[in-house]
Amino acid sequence: MGFGGISIWQLLIILVIIVLLFGTKRLRSIGTDLGSAIKGFRNSVKDPEDTVEPAAPIVQPQPQIKAETKEAAPVSADQPKTPEQR
């Protein structure tokens, strides 16, 4: 017998059915996602102090000084342009 009363032939039949249902590309992507999740979990459990980043220093915002500028009036297509707007 195999695993818990399931023979190797029954396991192969189950594997063939799973491949037919999901396809090889989807099974490959599921395996890749599962592997990267396990790897990330192991890294976080292995050394949690290395993954904690130090807090960023608090930066005080600087007051902004606005320069006085002349703003041109919007020009519509109907109005002729002045020499400054050309």
Side-chain angles (χ1 to χ4, degrees), residues 15 18-37:
L15 178 66
I18 290 173
V19 169
L20 289 175
L21 286 176
F22 293 108
T24 56
K25 287 184 182 180
R26 189 162 182 190
L27 288 175
R28 186 179 308 142
S29 67
I30 290 171
T32 303
D33 293 341
L34 183 63
S36 63

Side-chain angles (χ1 to χ4, degrees), residues 49-62:
E49 294 170 358
D50 288 343
T51 59
V52 176
E53 296 179 10
I58 298 174
V59 178
Q60 297 292 333
Q62 298 293 328

Side-chain angles (χ1 to χ4, degrees), residues 38-49 51:
I38 291 172
K39 184 177 179 181
F41 178 76
R42 284 184 181 170
N43 288 339
S44 66
V45 170
K46 181 179 174 183
D47 207 0
E49 294 170 358
T51 59

